[in-house]
Coordinates of all heavy atoms in Angstrom, one line a residue:
L8 N 95.6 -119.0 51.9 CA 95.8 -118.3 53.2 C 94.4 -118.1 53.8 O 93.5 -117.7 53.2 CB 96.5 -117.0 53.1 CG 97.9 -117.0 52.6 CD1 98.3 -115.6 52.2 CD2 98.8 -117.6 53.7
I11 N 91.2 -114.6 58.6 CA 90.8 -114.7 60.0 C 90.7 -113.3 60.7 O 91.6 -112.5 60.6 CB 91.7 -115.6 60.8 CG1 91.7 -117.0 60.2 CG2 91.4 -115.7 62.3 CD1 92.7 -118.0 60.8
L16 N 87.1 -117.6 61.2 CA 87.4 -117.7 59.8 C 86.3 -117.0 59.0 O 85.2 -117.3 59.0 CB 87.4 -119.2 59.4 CG 87.8 -119.5 58.0 CD1 89.2 -119.1 57.6 CD2 87.6 -121.0 57.7
N24 N 99.9 -119.3 40.6 CA 100.7 -118.8 39.5 C 101.4 -119.9 38.8 O 102.3 -120.6 39.4 CB 101.8 -117.8 40.1 CG 102.6 -117.2 39.0 OD1 102.8 -117.7 37.9 ND2 103.2 -116.0 39.3
A27 N 105.6 -119.1 36.8 CA 106.9 -119.1 37.3 C 106.9 -119.9 38.6 O 106.0 -120.0 39.3 CB 107.4 -117.7 37.7
V30 N 107.4 -118.6 43.3 CA 106.9 -117.3 43.4 C 106.5 -116.9 44.8 O 106.8 -115.8 45.2 CB 105.7 -117.1 42.4 CG1 105.0 -115.7 42.7 CG2 106.1 -117.3 41.0
A34 N 109.2 -114.4 52.2 CA 109.0 -112.9 52.3 C 107.6 -112.5 51.7 O 106.9 -111.7 52.3 CB 110.1 -112.1 51.7
S44 N 95.0 -110.6 56.5 CA 94.5 -110.1 57.8 C 93.6 -108.9 57.5 O 92.5 -108.7 58.1 CB 95.6 -109.8 58.7 OG 95.1 -109.2 59.9
A47 N 90.3 -109.8 55.8 CA 89.4 -110.3 56.7 C 88.7 -109.2 57.5 O 87.5 -109.3 57.7 CB 90.1 -111.3 57.7
A53 N 82.4 -104.8 56.4 CA 81.3 -104.7 55.4 C 80.1 -105.5 55.8 O 79.0 -105.0 55.7 CB 81.8 -105.2 54.0
R54 N 80.3 -106.6 56.4 CA 79.1 -107.4 56.9 C 78.4 -106.7 58.0 O 77.2 -106.6 58.1 CB 79.6 -108.8 57.4 CG 78.4 -109.7 57.8 CD 78.9 -110.9 58.5 NE 79.5 -110.6 59.8 CZ 78.8 -110.3 60.9 NH1 77.5 -110.2 60.9 NH2 79.5 -110.1 62.0
Y56 N 78.4 -103.4 58.7 CA 77.8 -102.3 58.1 C 76.5 -102.6 57.4 O 75.5 -101.9 57.6 CB 78.7 -101.5 57.1 CG 78.2 -100.3 56.6 CD1 78.1 -99.1 57.3 CD2 77.7 -100.2 55.2 CE1 77.5 -98.0 56.8 CE2 77.2 -99.1 54.7 CZ 77.1 -97.9 55.5 OH 76.6 -96.8 55.0
D58 N 74.6 -105.2 58.2 CA 73.7 -105.6 59.3 C 73.1 -104.3 59.9 O 71.9 -104.3 60.2 CB 74.4 -106.4 60.3 CG 74.7 -107.8 59.9 OD1 74.3 -108.2 58.8 OD2 75.4 -108.5 60.6
Q60 N 72.7 -101.4 58.4 CA 71.7 -100.8 57.5 C 70.4 -101.5 57.5 O 69.4 -100.8 57.5 CB 72.3 -100.8 56.1 CG 73.4 -99.8 55.8 CD 73.9 -99.8 54.4 OE1 74.1 -100.9 53.8 NE2 74.0 -98.6 53.8
R62 N 69.1 -103.2 60.1 CA 68.4 -102.8 61.3 C 67.8 -101.4 61.2 O 66.7 -101.2 61.7 CB 69.4 -102.9 62.5 CG 69.6 -104.3 63.0 CD 70.3 -104.3 64.3 NE 71.1 -105.5 64.4 CZ 72.4 -105.6 64.3 NH1 73.1 -104.5 64.2 NH2 73.0 -106.8 64.3
R67 N 63.2 -97.8 60.7 CA 62.5 -96.7 60.0 C 61.2 -97.1 59.5 O 60.2 -96.4 59.5 CB 63.4 -96.4 58.8 CG 62.9 -95.3 57.8 CD 62.4 -94.0 58.4 NE 63.5 -93.4 59.1 CZ 63.3 -92.3 59.9 NH1 62.0 -91.8 60.0 NH2 64.2 -91.7 60.5
F70 N 58.9 -96.9 62.5 CA 58.7 -95.5 62.8 C 57.7 -94.9 61.8 O 56.7 -94.2 62.3 CB 60.1 -94.8 62.6 CG 60.0 -93.3 63.0 CD1 60.4 -92.9 64.3 CD2 59.7 -92.3 62.1 CE1 60.3 -91.6 64.7 CE2 59.7 -91.0 62.5 CZ 60.0 -90.6 63.8
A72 N 55.4 -96.4 60.0 CA 54.1 -97.1 60.0 C 53.2 -96.4 61.0 O 51.9 -96.6 60.9 CB 54.3 -98.6 60.4
E83 N 71.8 -85.7 75.6 CA 71.6 -84.5 76.4 C 70.1 -84.1 76.6 O 69.8 -83.1 77.2 CB 72.5 -83.3 75.9 CG 72.0 -82.8 74.5 CD 72.7 -83.5 73.3 OE1 73.5 -84.4 73.6 OE2 72.4 -83.1 72.2
G98 N 48.9 -85.4 72.2 CA 47.8 -84.4 71.9 C 48.4 -83.3 71.1 O 48.0 -82.2 71.1

Side-chain angles (χ1 to χ4, degrees):
L8 298 166
I11 298 174
L16 181 65
N24 183 337
V30 173
S44 173
R54 185 192 65 76
Y56 182 72
D58 289 351
Q60 284 184 317
R62 278 191 211 109
R67 176 54 58 189
F70 185 92
E83 66 273 0

